[in-house]
Amino acid sequence: MKENLAVVVRKLISPSLRYEIRNVSSKLREFLARACFWRWEVIRFKLQQESPYEFLYIGRKQQREMAKLLIGGKSQDKLQAQIPVADRQAQPDASSQVVVISEMPTSGSLNVPHYLSAVVPLGRSLEDITARYDSELRRSIRKNRPLYSMRRTVSDEEIAMADKDLLRPYATARQGIHAAQFPTDEVFRIAKTVGRLDLIMLGDEVVACHLGCEITRGDKRYWSTLRFGYCESVFSDAKKLREVNSITTFMALEWALENGFDYYDIGLCLARPDDGLLKWKRRRGGDVDSLGNHSYMFVRLPKRGVAKFLWDTPLFAVEGDKLTLHLGLPEGPSEEELASRYHEMVFGGLHKIYVYGAKSSGEAFLETLRSRYASVQSPPAMERILSN
């Protein structure tokens, strides 16, 4: 009965309206979850003992690890023990600067998303899209693509196998205890109704799978990757994983193009400009896009040392529905070091880039940055912010 009702509702409501309803519902759920103030904590911590920056976190305890990921990245071995505010006896070092990370907006804070999608604009030939790939990646795809095939499955046995042997083990291998696993019944629902599950074959052997669905936003259709899954013999071998991962992504792109989609969404990444996965997807033509992700942290920058902080920790932020990038140009690094630090932080999909630093710092770098963005279809505006 429930399934029949869902089919009727899907027929009566347009895909774009369903997208907007999901958006509103997601925003409401996120707001209500944040409003549980009795689950909040106030705690100070440092990510690196030698760093001058101290962090004041105000929010739900279970979201503290996400705050660390957004600020400190995935190198969890560098994290120091948290220091609850109430338990501190000594005053913080006078040279330290406090960065406030909150689940609710504070004055002057940046609205920093947890995750972003990497979206490839389609509507052009496959050759035009892959022209942005580096030569090594193009050679690898030409060499290995003929060895692989992709087929859809709706078989209960194969869906269960993909969930148990491909999707779950790979997520655990990548994210450990922080892995966000899809519920098994949700995998079945997507594979059989709203999306599709494709098995990736190397000859006659299943080595990977792709779980995806269609999203309609406005009048544009997106083919969206929800999860990739790989067998242990693939994800335990870094070289093999690079090969299969590239081919799986390429085949999903091919399928989206052949089926008339406007965009291919490669999937979610941690919203850090220097995140390795985001760089990987950027090299495959992915532009950054919030695409209905409504989980945020609010970050208030330190009163002093802003340029150095953003040099260490560049940040994405959202203004309205527009994405921005915040970079620091501290005194000290040479023009070559500035160019090297931000070499792979050229993203399509940005509305504006804010550059923090002294008036005299990084003039040559700013010209280099403008030239790098000249090839982007809609180059972002750039605004310089003077900081001490």
Side-chain angles (χ1 to χ4, degrees):
M1 179 67 181
K2 186 185 295 185
E3 291 181 357
N4 292 336
L5 180 61
V7 170
V8 172
V9 170
R10 287 181 62 81
K11 288 181 178 179
L12 293 176
I13 302 176
S14 70
S16 58
L17 181 55
R18 288 202 300 270
Y19 174 82
E20 294 302 330
I21 291 172
R22 287 196 302 270
N23 259 357
V24 172
S25 175
S26 177
K27 287 180 180 179
L28 180 60
R29 286 197 304 271
E30 179 67 18
F31 175 80
L32 292 175
R34 290 173 185 271
C36 299
F37 298 114
W38 57 91
R39 296 177 181 169
W40 282 31
E41 64 178 5
V42 178
I43 195 167
R44 286 182 185 263
F45 60 87
K46 274 194 169 188
L47 296 182
Q48 293 176 278
Q49 193 60 48
E50 67 274 13
S51 171
Y53 301 106
E54 194 171 33
F55 298 90
L56 175 62
Y57 174 71
I58 307 169
R60 289 169 290 171
K61 183 176 181 178
Q62 66 267 31
Q63 291 298 317
R64 190 200 317 157
E65 292 303 314
M66 174 54 69
K68 291 182 183 180
L69 281 174
L70 286 174
I71 299 300
K74 296 179 181 179
S75 300
Q76 296 295 305
D77 57 320
K78 294 183 178 180
L79 301 183
Q80 305 299 317
Q82 300 86 6
I83 309 170
V85 172
D87 294 344
R88 293 174 57 88
Q89 299 299 321
Q91 293 297 317
D93 181 71
S95 65
S96 71
Q97 299 300 315
V98 176
V99 179
V100 179
I101 307 172
S102 174
E103 287 215 85
M104 285 294 180
T106 56
S107 176
S109 61
L110 302 179
N111 188 356
V112 178
H114 290 184
Y115 296 99
L116 293 175
S117 291
V119 174
V120 182
L122 304 180
R124 50 202 168 121
S125 70
L126 189 61
E127 290 72 23
D128 285 345
I129 295 171
T130 56
R132 290 181 61 181
Y133 294 7
D134 62 56
S135 57
E136 181 181 350
L137 177 57
R138 289 198 301 271
R139 282 195 302 270
S140 175
I141 290 173
R142 281 196 302 268
K143 174 185 175 183
N144 295 305
R145 175 62 182 90
L147 306 176
Y148 291 82
S149 61
M150 181 173 78
R151 66 174 177 85
R152 184 181 185 182
T153 182
V154 292
S155 157
D156 286 352
E157 294 78 10
E158 289 187 326
I159 295 172
M161 178 277 297
D163 179 53
K164 177 176 175 290
D165 298 338
L166 304 175
L167 294 168
R168 290 180 174 277
Y170 179 58
T172 300
R174 276 185 57 201
Q175 305 292 344
I177 61 172
H178 302 297
Q181 302 282 7
F182 259 53
T184 296
D185 58 350
E186 186 71 359
V187 174
F188 271 82
R189 185 185 73 85
I190 293 168
K192 287 176 171 284
T193 58
V194 298
R196 57 185 282 150
L197 176 67
D198 290 292
L199 300 180
I200 310 302
M201 316 290 294
L202 177 58
D204 296 327
E205 180 188 3
V206 177
V207 294
C209 69
H210 172 269
L211 183 67
C213 71
E214 179 178 343
I215 294 173
T216 302
R217 180 166 65 168
D219 60 349
K220 302 298 183 183
R221 295 172 65 230
Y222 294 71
W223 179 242
S224 181
T225 289
L226 300 175
R227 285 291 192 275
F228 290 124
Y230 299 95
C231 61
E232 186 175 1
S233 62
V234 169
F235 67 69
S236 61
D237 182 333
K239 182 179 178 181
K240 191 65 177 177
L241 178 60
R242 283 195 299 271
E243 175 189 312
V244 182
N245 205 1
S246 293
I247 294 298
T248 303
T249 305
F250 183 75
M251 287 195 293
L253 170 66
E254 283 182 317
W255 190 89
L257 198 59
E258 290 167 0
N259 286 271
F261 286 87
D262 299 292
Y263 296 91
Y264 168 47
D265 168 23
I266 310 178
L268 291 177
C269 311
L270 185 68
R272 277 185 59 95
D274 56 0
D275 179 66
L277 181 58
L278 181 56
K279 290 180 182 178
W280 187 91
K281 293 180 179 181
R282 183 191 66 82
R283 290 194 289 269
R284 285 151 181 79
D287 295 341
V288 288
D289 192 321
S290 58
L291 200 61
N293 299 305
H294 301 299
S295 297
Y296 302 97
M297 294 286 184
F298 297 91
V299 178
R300 193 172 70 198
L301 300 174
K303 294 180 180 178
R304 295 194 303 276
V306 173
K308 179 62 169 64
F309 173 74
L310 289 171
W311 166 263
D312 295 334
T313 309
L315 294 172
F316 287 116
V318 175
E319 295 180 0
D321 60 349
K322 306 291 187 182
L323 278 172
T324 63
L325 176 62
H326 297 253
L327 305 176
L329 300 184
E331 298 286 353
S334 66
E335 295 289 349
E336 292 75 16
E337 289 171 320
L338 292 174
S340 175
R341 169 63 174 141
Y342 297 128
H343 177 69
E344 292 200 72
M345 295 189 199
V346 178
F347 303 99
L350 289 176
H351 169 65
K352 183 180 283 190
I353 298 176
Y354 294 92
V355 181
Y356 298 72
K359 186 175 183 180
S360 59
S361 62
E363 288 299 329
F365 166 72
L366 287 174
E367 290 306 313
T368 300
L369 192 63
R370 290 188 182 96
S371 68
R372 287 178 178 173
Y373 273 94
S375 60
V376 175
Q377 186 173 9
S378 299
M382 295 193 187
E383 182 175 330
R384 184 145 194 175
I385 298 180
L386 297 183
S387 65
N388 53 353

